[in-house]
Amino acid sequence: MNILLTGGTGYIGSHTAVALAQAGHQIVLLDNYSNSRPGAGDRLAKILGQSVPQVECDVRNTTRLTQTLRQHAIEAVIHFAGLKAVGASMARSLDYYANNVQGAISLLQAMQASGVKTLVFSSSATVYGDPQYLPIDEQHPRSATNPYGRTKLQIEDLLSDVAHADKTWHISCLRYFNPVGAHESGLIGEAPQGIPDNLMPFIAQVASGERPQLNIFGNDYPTPDGTGVRDYIHVMDLAAGHGAALTALNAGTWEPNSSGTTIHTAWLQKLTFC
Ligand SMILES: NC(=O)c1ccc[n+]([C@@H]2O[C@H](COP(=O)([O-])OP(=O)(O)OC[C@H]3O[C@@H](n4cnc5c(N)ncnc54)[C@H](O)[C@@H]3O)[C@@H](O)[C@H]2O)c1
């Protein structure tokens, strides 16, 4: 299958690119490099032993996006492109809505114009808000505690409306969180621009001497030492999950739920739905 990865040179996108290419798919990476570098494509080529088409484009550029979908005869899209830092989303909420929500609208318009109707969306477990029960499942009520989460909620609602209006769309939302690790080659990994917003790259930068220290917040959680405990998922497992989601969408083996889309909480199910 010919698959476009928006945000494809970013952390999860680049690892998913490896998994998809190694499964025999033709991949095209599209990115505006706001949080990644074009060189990621070269490193992917080294891992895969073949070059990977790369397009520099903002997802809000609907015209160029449409051209790209047509030029590469794209059959499915995985939409990773987005801003993802919770703190920054509170300080720069307008940027987050403009980038994430406007970006999703632009992508859907381009896909509609080119007749591409299979989409996997990088949602987030943040759409569950503060847990009302544990473990959280897909029936857990949705809410958001910050603008980043609200952009994900709005995009999920948008996708649901689109899927209800036109049954030829096949859309899956993956609500994951806390991917860590890197491809076994060590050639790609999590290398954000500026100060990392995620814990693991921050720890790596402290370990390598780039930053002096890591502050640990919170000391009254019900854990042995009072600090927080989190679940993590290896990024290559998450990458495989995206391939599984596409396969299932194409095979029609996922029944849409009431939202008209399929929704999976990757961290919770440890991707056993593959
Ligand atoms: N990493 C996590 O912890 C996590 C958890 C849940 C969901 N997600 C979601 O997964 C997706 C990918 O996350 P990631 O960790 O790989 O982040 P990332 O920042 O490494 O990758 C996102 C990529 O999108 C690109 N991008 C951003 N806005 C763009 C735009 N308007 N046009 C084109 N490209 C654009 C960035 O340059 C970057 O390469 C995001 O949508 C994020 O919200 C991430």
Side-chain angles (χ1 to χ4, degrees):
M1 206 177 353
N2 298 335
I3 306 168
L4 181 75
L5 276 57
T6 73
T9 49
Y11 175 46
I12 307 173
S14 57
H15 288 80
T16 303
V18 173
L20 293 176
Q22 288 179 337
H25 298 293
Q26 309 301 317
I27 50 163
V28 178
L29 311 177
L30 181 140
D31 209 296
N32 68 356
Y33 307 125
S34 57
N35 198 36
S36 57
R37 297 166 187 84
D42 298 334
R43 289 193 294 279
L44 284 180
K46 220 177 234 179
I47 294 171
L48 297 170
Q50 63 186 61
S51 65
V52 179
Q54 221 169 313
V55 179
E56 180 171 3
C57 177
D58 192 294
V59 284
R60 288 166 290 179
N61 185 341
T62 318
T63 307
R64 184 138 162 69
L65 208 46
T66 309
Q67 282 166 356
T68 304
L69 292 167
R70 290 187 177 145
Q71 185 187 341
H72 294 276
I74 296 298
E75 298 164 274
V77 176
I78 306 184
H79 184 40
F80 297 102
L83 300 176
K84 62 168 184 175
V86 169
S89 80
M90 295 196 261
R92 297 170 29 222
S93 55
L94 189 53
D95 288 347
Y96 270 67
Y97 283 104
N99 196 78
N100 294 1
V101 180
Q102 214 172 310
I105 293 171
S106 169
L107 174 66
L108 289 168
Q109 287 173 325
M111 290 177 71
Q112 182 144 292
S114 353
V116 182
K117 295 198 170 170
T118 300
L119 172 67
V120 176
F121 169 58
S122 288
S123 187
S124 168
T126 195
V127 299
Y128 294 120
D130 291 325
Q132 293 182 15
Y133 58 84
L134 291 169
I136 291 172
D137 57 22
E138 287 81 4
Q139 280 68 50
H140 188 284
R142 296 179 321 148
S143 66
T145 55
N146 55 70
Y148 166 67
R150 277 188 281 280
T151 67
K152 294 293 185 191
L153 280 181
Q154 290 188 2
I155 296 168
E156 283 199 0
D157 289 342
L158 166 67
L159 295 176
S160 171
D161 287 341
V162 166
H164 273 306
D166 178 351
K167 304 280 185 244
T168 62
W169 280 89
H170 296 95
I171 302 175
S172 176
C173 298
L174 299 183
R175 292 172 179 165
Y176 38 78
F177 85 112
N178 291 343
V180 288
H183 183 258
E184 60 182 5
S185 67
L187 288 170
I188 53 173
E190 191 170 11
Q193 308 271 23
I195 301 171
D197 295 300
N198 287 356
L199 183 60
M200 292 312 275
F202 204 106
I203 289 175
Q205 291 188 6
V206 173
S208 67
E210 265 178 80
R211 294 188 186 281
Q213 67 188 44
L214 170 80
N215 294 321
I216 298 176
F217 300 105
N219 57 13
D220 57 356
Y221 290 98
T223 59
D225 68 356
T227 63
V229 171
R230 307 185 86 176
D231 288 333
Y232 292 89
I233 183 166
H234 195 279
V235 69
M236 288 310 296
D237 289 336
L238 194 53
H242 287 82
L246 273 181
T247 304
L249 281 181
N250 278 334
T253 50
W254 278 7
E255 280 300 315
N257 60 16
S258 58
S259 74
T261 63
T262 58
I263 293 173
H264 284 261
T265 312
W267 67 273
L268 179 71
Q269 302 191 348
K270 303 256 188 288
L271 296 174
T272 44
F273 63 84
C274 307

